[in-house]
């Protein structure tokens, strides 16, 4: 079990959460919005894939 804790702490974070934490939040939001089946799977998968590519800068806050 000690190794699992080490793995979790070394997992890269994006905006304060790991990809698995983001995935769980995205799934919850998608379900709350009524997405189901293939649409649910496609949307949540694509959203998680996009997280590492998001770059924030001052121009984004116009």
């Amino acid at each position: 079990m000690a190794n699992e804790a080490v793995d979790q702490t070394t997992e890269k974070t994006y905006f304060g959460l790991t990809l698995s934490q983001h995935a769980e939040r995205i799934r919850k939001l998608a379900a709350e919005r009524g997405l189901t089946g293939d649409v649910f799977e496609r949307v949540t998968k694509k959203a998680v894939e996009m997280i590492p590519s998001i770059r924030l800068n001052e121009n984004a806050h116009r």
Side-chain angles (χ1 to χ4, degrees), residues 2-57:
N3 288 343
E4 289 179 45
V6 170
D7 290 344
Q8 289 176 356
T9 58
T10 59
E11 188 175 353
K12 188 169 182 176
T13 60
Y14 301 89
F15 313 105
L17 298 174
T18 64
L19 281 179
S20 58
Q21 291 169 321
H22 278 294
E24 189 57 38
R25 291 180 74 193
I26 290 165
R27 285 186 194 99
K28 182 180 177 190
L29 288 170
E32 288 174 2
R33 300 295 189 275
L35 296 180
T36 58
D38 288 343
V39 174
F40 175 86
E41 294 300 325
R42 279 195 325 259
V43 167
T44 56
K45 181 179 183 229
K46 186 64 176 177
V48 171
E49 288 173 355
M50 291 173 63
I51 289 170
S53 68
I54 296 170
R55 300 289 180 256
L56 297 179
N57 60 39

